[in-house]
Amino acid sequence: MKNDPLLAPFQLRHLTLRNRIMSTAHAPSYEEGGHPRDRYRLYHEEKAKGGVGLTIIGGSTNIAPDSPSVFGQLYAGDDNIIPWFEKLTDGVRSHGAAVMCQITHMGRRTAWDDGHWLPVAGPSGTRERAHRSFPKAMEIEDIDRVTKQFADAARRCQQGGFDGIELLSHSHLLGQFLSPLINKRHDNYGGSLDNRLRLTMQVLESVREAVGPDLIVGMRVTGDELSKGGLDADECVEIAQKIAATGAVDFLNVLAGAPYDDLGLAGWVPPMGMPSAPHLTVAGRIRAAVDVPIFHAGGVADIATARHAVAGGHVDLIGMTRAQIADPYLVAKLARGEEDRIRPCVGLGYCVDRVNQGKPSVCGHNAATGREATMPHRFTGAKIAKTVVIIGGGPAGLEAARISAERGHASSCSKLGSGLIKLDPEPDGCQFYHRQEVA
């Protein structure tokens, strides 16, 4: 598409992003020892090779020992991660993409019986159904400690070579202090909106002081909890305006919903059968109310919807995260005019379901994702073209035919042989045969 708005560059302060498509922060559970080692790096490098403008790594990168990993997150609570950060940022940037890291304290959204077996922390003692822990109501000493740990983790990200960081508020500790569903405090951190916002402001001030004016800093925020008694759209707009007014943030990444149980999580990371991009208008409402760029993630799996999100003025950058798990070369194909050849994400949910079971993420539609070290996404032409006959048109046969065609092999068959019948259609010029059952 000529002059496609998705392919237009975007200026984020001093950082020029080559297009408007991003991969948002998520945890593929490829970490090793809390670090983004080779598997993690190669996964993000592949998306950079495929043309993405910005990839945000480290979904829910933990900053403190009392925020242990529950779904394969990174740990930026000490300096040991810095060399791995440097290797990853060098690799991603060498392919033309910008790269940032998300950092967080999970608050009550984690387990007490993991890591160092420390008490789960939160604004109040309200339990989250999804992770089932009863949090300790944080004391002022805890608040001061966590504020410093955010700043220390941000400094490590800066030393690791990232273009920026994203502070995670939505549903995690900062967002838990904001939500009247969770925050039942009666001190300076509870009650009024300004009190509930106090920890967020302290963290922003501390982080900006630690990294200086040059590092890009953003925040993933809630646009509407969509829950009775929770943050509503009007209050979320006011929160976004107050955060933007500090001058400490360079973008806001807007989500909606309250993933405090399985139903809430499904609304936030929608599986197949649920509406596409249901919260675009929520992001657009905040975009109209603030003067910082707005990013958005939430069920955008196809180019047409992503294009509408940007062209319609709802967002500045659009997340297509699971879409790029299915096809990390989505942007490159779009740029070449091959939109019809993008391998689609169908919302199977195999990627996120595995992570929630403590397993590495893989894709039901793309076997190479997460296996980049041993299974390439792209194939070079064969030195000698051969004739290939594929017996069977199931998943294995189809994949064999696709790879054969990409490598330049032809396929034909002079004889069907006993019990073989020819199948139609024949994708990519390969011929398929199926063994006929004989009574």
Side-chain angles (χ1 to χ4, degrees):
M1 178 180 176
K2 188 177 181 181
N3 299 322
D4 192 327
L6 290 176
L7 299 177
F10 183 75
Q11 195 67 33
L12 182 62
R13 277 187 51 203
H14 59 274
L15 181 65
T16 301
L17 304 176
R18 58 185 173 182
N19 55 61
R20 306 298 185 94
I21 295 176
M22 63 185 292
S23 174
T24 55
H26 58 290
S29 200
Y30 301 152
E31 57 80 32
E32 298 174 56
H35 300 149
R37 302 188 184 182
D38 287 345
R39 185 179 187 183
Y40 205 113
R41 173 181 56 82
L42 292 173
Y43 166 70
H44 282 281
E45 279 192 27
E46 203 70 34
K47 287 182 279 190
K49 293 177 186 177
V52 71
L54 166 66
T55 187
I56 303 181
I57 77 139
S60 304
T61 294
N62 291 299
I63 63 163
D66 59 345
S67 178
S69 170
V70 286
F71 40 83
Q73 299 117 279
L74 304 181
Y75 181 68
D78 59 51
D79 289 349
N80 292 331
I81 200 170
I82 295 173
W84 298 105
F85 276 166
E86 290 174 326
K87 190 173 182 180
L88 185 147
T89 55
D90 286 345
V92 170
R93 199 175 289 109
S94 71
H95 300 292
V99 58
M100 300 187 189
C101 184
Q102 183 188 82
I103 59 176
T104 191
H105 191 294
M106 298 185 71
R108 67 174 192 164
R109 192 170 170 75
T110 186
W112 61 270
D113 56 346
D114 202 349
H116 296 282
W117 285 51
L118 295 171
V120 171
S124 306
T126 52
R127 185 190 197 192
E128 186 193 73
R129 290 182 62 187
H131 292 87
R132 305 182 64 78
S133 294
F134 289 96
K136 166 200 173 184
M138 293 174 68
E139 301 170 53
I140 299 302
E141 292 80 4
D142 297 314
I143 290 173
D144 292 342
R145 168 181 57 81
V146 167
T147 300
K148 182 179 184 303
Q149 287 168 325
F150 265 107
D152 290 342
R155 173 186 53 78
R156 294 181 185 109
C157 291
Q158 185 178 41
Q159 291 176 323
F162 288 100
D163 295 300
I165 59 170
E166 178 181 78
L167 306 174
L168 175 51
S169 170
H170 174 79
S171 81
H172 286 211
L173 182 66
L174 300 183
Q176 292 160 24
F177 267 83
L178 284 169
S179 175
L181 279 174
I182 304 166
N183 187 342
K184 307 298 182 183
R185 300 175 74 100
H186 299 288
D187 61 1
N188 289 338
Y189 291 89
S192 70
L193 176 58
D194 285 339
N195 279 357
R196 286 182 278 127
L197 191 56
R198 192 178 304 276
L199 176 59
T200 297
M201 296 303 194
Q202 287 180 194
V203 166
L204 275 174
E205 181 181 3
S206 181
V207 165
R208 186 51 86 183
E209 183 178 351
V211 300
D214 295 332
L215 188 72
I216 289 173
V217 176
M219 182 174 287
R220 181 184 281 210
V221 299
T222 305
D224 190 337
E225 281 198 307
L226 303 173
S227 299
K228 185 177 180 180
L231 291 167
D232 62 22
D234 290 339
E235 199 166 29
C236 287
V237 167
E238 186 176 355
I239 289 168
Q241 289 173 326
K242 288 177 179 290
I243 292 173
T246 65
V249 297
D250 302 300
F251 68 87
L252 294 174
N253 190 354
V254 179
L255 288 82
Y260 303 136
D261 54 25
D262 289 342
L263 184 60
L265 184 61
W268 178 41
V269 186
M272 64 174 68
M274 296 188 71
S276 177
H279 304 136
L280 266 183
T281 55
V282 174
R285 191 165 187 257
I286 289 181
R287 185 174 187 262
V290 299
D291 292 326
V292 297
I294 297 297
F295 303 170
H296 178 61
V300 179
D302 64 282
I303 291 295
T305 302
R307 186 178 292 125
H308 164 72
V310 173
H314 299 286
V315 300
D316 295 288
L317 261 68
I318 188 67
M320 300 190 72
T321 306
R322 283 180 292 167
Q324 289 177 91
I325 291 176
D327 193 340
Y329 287 83
L330 176 152
V331 179
K333 290 178 180 178
L334 175 64
R336 292 197 302 263
E338 298 176 359
E339 184 177 336
D340 60 331
R341 294 192 62 81
I342 292 172
R343 189 191 304 241
C345 172
V346 297
L348 177 65
Y350 192 44
C351 52
V352 68
D353 286 349
R354 281 180 56 91
V355 170
N356 288 334
Q357 296 171 44
K359 303 173 185 176
S361 176
V362 294
C363 179
H365 215 167
N366 188 346
T369 293
R371 300 183 177 102
E372 285 79 10
T374 56
M375 186 180 295
H377 287 264
R378 296 185 298 175
F379 298 88
T380 57
K383 293 181 180 179
I384 301 174
K386 299 179 180 180
T387 297
V388 179
V389 177
I390 308 296
I391 308 298
L398 289 168
E399 182 69 357
R402 183 185 71 84
I403 293 172
S404 296
E406 284 198 15
R407 300 204 66 202
H409 297 306
S411 63
S412 64
C413 184
S414 57
K415 295 182 180 179
L416 292 181
S418 175
L420 295 180
I421 59 173
K422 190 168 181 292
L423 294 181
D424 292 311
E426 300 175 354
D428 291 321
C430 292
Q431 296 182 1
F432 291 83
Y433 300 91
H434 170 69
R435 184 167 298 279
Q436 188 176 32
E437 296 294 332
V438 179

